[in-house]
Amino acid sequence: MSQNPMQDQLHPFIFEQSAIRGNCVHLDQSLFTALEHQPLPPALKKVIGEFTAASVLLTSTLKMQGKLILQLQSQGALQLLVVECTSELDIRATAKVHEELHGDHLSDWLEQGQLVITLMPEDGEPYQGIVPLEGDNIASMLENYMLRSQQIDTKLWLAAEGDRAAGLLVQKLPQQQESDLDCWNRIQHLAGTITDRELLDLDTETLLQRLFAEEDLRLFDGRQVRAFCSCSQTTVTNMLQMLGLAEVRSILDEQGSVQIQCDFCNKQYVVDEQEALALFDGNDDHEITH
């Protein structure tokens, strides 16, 4: 485990007297915990790490209480990659692989892929955006989404290694008067000099000082990031009720009970026949065991 003193924290920062803001995140124990029950090849773990760092960076820029879901869907070897981050910065992630992954790059595993970004506010309707996969660079895919769907200039730098990941985001807020007309170009250029090693190994304060030594920058207190799976007996119950009585009866006839395993945390839920059928007759006194 990394001994980074700022591990599992997101730090917002702003450039004073400008319309530019940023976030820096380091994931260590939280990423390890989120993925510890999933046997993932190192190259795929790296991609999930970068996606997870990106989800935290993007979630923290949204003015909403709720959840951001990033989904990579493909007809290739990598069928599905899902990362979720709540407004409280709780993260979880998983992937589904159709066949053995060959090559070390995301583009090697994708065929007819798309990136689906879903915003799920606690109050209000979900919003979904779909972005074509152009190249194998996660950062550029998300930058395109932010520009097309949110009309916000955004630059991302992401790195992952083993059970660690880190990311840096800078944004130019729209419709704000900018006195320093070259500021956005300058900040992008300076941030673009960052290396993966610096991003992963340096604490946020040192990193920003190294990148933006001449800029008037204010760093805010960090926010904790943690791995947390939202699966529960209630979500299992709701899922079975959505399946309907006929489908549940079919599963019971075949298996004798309903067995559901969470893709994210691997927790096993077992619902016996009596409990399952009770969901459809108004009897809520039955406890689901796992």
Side-chain angles (χ1 to χ4, degrees), residues 40-112:
L40 301 168
L44 180 55
K45 186 179 278 192
K46 180 178 188 299
V47 169
I48 292 184
E50 291 183 4
F51 254 103
T52 307
S55 74
V56 178
L57 291 170
L58 292 176
T59 300
S60 62
T61 69
L62 301 172
K63 294 178 180 176
M64 87 169 184
Q65 293 297 306
K67 182 163 58 177
L68 170 77
I69 304 171
L70 298 180
Q71 293 182 74
L72 195 57
Q73 303 170 348
S74 146
Q75 303 296 316
L78 178 59
Q79 286 185 306
L80 181 68
L81 192 159
V82 182
V83 175
E84 297 182 5
C85 181
T86 71
S87 46
E88 302 302 314
L89 304 187
D90 292 337
I91 59 169
R92 64 179 190 166
T94 190
K96 279 190 168 60
V97 177
H98 175 60
E99 59 191 49
E100 187 178 346
L101 300 179
H102 298 288
D104 293 328
H105 299 287
L106 186 55
S107 59
D108 297 329
W109 316 326
L110 300 177
E111 188 178 316
Q112 300 174 356

Side-chain angles (χ1 to χ4, degrees), residues 72-260:
L72 195 57
Q73 303 170 348
S74 146
Q75 303 296 316
L78 178 59
Q79 286 185 306
L80 181 68
L81 192 159
V82 182
V83 175
E84 297 182 5
C85 181
T86 71
S87 46
E88 302 302 314
L89 304 187
D90 292 337
I91 59 169
R92 64 179 190 166
T94 190
K96 279 190 168 60
V97 177
H98 175 60
E99 59 191 49
E100 187 178 346
L101 300 179
H102 298 288
D104 293 328
H105 299 287
L106 186 55
S107 59
D108 297 329
W109 316 326
L110 300 177
E111 188 178 316
Q112 300 174 356
Q114 61 183 16
L115 176 65
V116 181
I117 299 168
T118 307
L119 306 181
M120 298 188 67
E122 289 177 3
D123 301 312
E125 293 296 310
Y127 166 81
Q128 194 168 81
I130 298 176
V131 183
L133 300 185
E134 297 161 351
D136 62 348
N137 188 315
I138 296 166
S140 62
M141 291 177 204
L142 294 169
E143 289 165 0
N144 289 337
Y145 164 76
M146 293 301 291
L147 191 57
R148 293 175 187 175
S149 300
Q150 307 292 317
Q151 284 79 53
I152 300 177
D153 279 309
T154 304
K155 296 295 289 182
L156 283 162
W157 292 267
L158 305 167
E161 175 185 77
D163 295 311
R164 297 193 300 152
L168 176 70
L169 171 148
V170 290
Q171 281 186 335
K172 182 177 183 293
L173 299 177
Q175 300 167 336
Q176 287 198 23
Q177 196 63 35
E178 186 67 89
S179 54
D180 181 352
L181 297 179
D182 188 51
C183 189
W184 176 237
N185 287 333
R186 190 170 67 248
I187 295 303
Q188 287 186 84
H189 174 73
L190 292 170
T193 65
I194 196 170
T195 66
D196 286 357
R197 284 265 61 85
E198 288 174 324
L199 195 50
L200 287 165
D201 295 344
L202 296 179
D203 66 78
T204 300
E205 189 170 3
T206 304
L207 178 67
L208 296 180
Q209 176 63 28
R210 184 174 291 188
L211 290 174
F212 308 115
E214 304 298 319
E215 303 295 329
D216 188 6
L217 183 148
R218 191 197 320 175
L219 178 63
F220 295 96
D221 290 340
R223 296 178 60 198
Q224 199 67 28
V225 183
R226 66 170 187 155
F228 176 76
C229 190
S230 56
C231 75
S232 67
Q233 295 182 359
T234 302
T235 55
V236 169
T237 297
N238 292 341
M239 188 178 75
L240 293 181
Q241 289 174 325
M242 287 177 63
L243 281 175
L245 180 57
E247 182 68 22
V248 170
R249 276 191 187 280
S250 172
I251 296 170
L252 291 170
D253 289 343
E254 187 178 326
Q255 302 178 4
S257 64
V258 182
Q259 300 180 31
I260 296 171

Side-chain angles (χ1 to χ4, degrees), residues 16-27:
E16 302 281 17
Q17 314 303 320
S18 85
I20 301 172
R21 66 179 178 181
N23 289 303
C24 187
V25 68
H26 289 92
L27 306 177

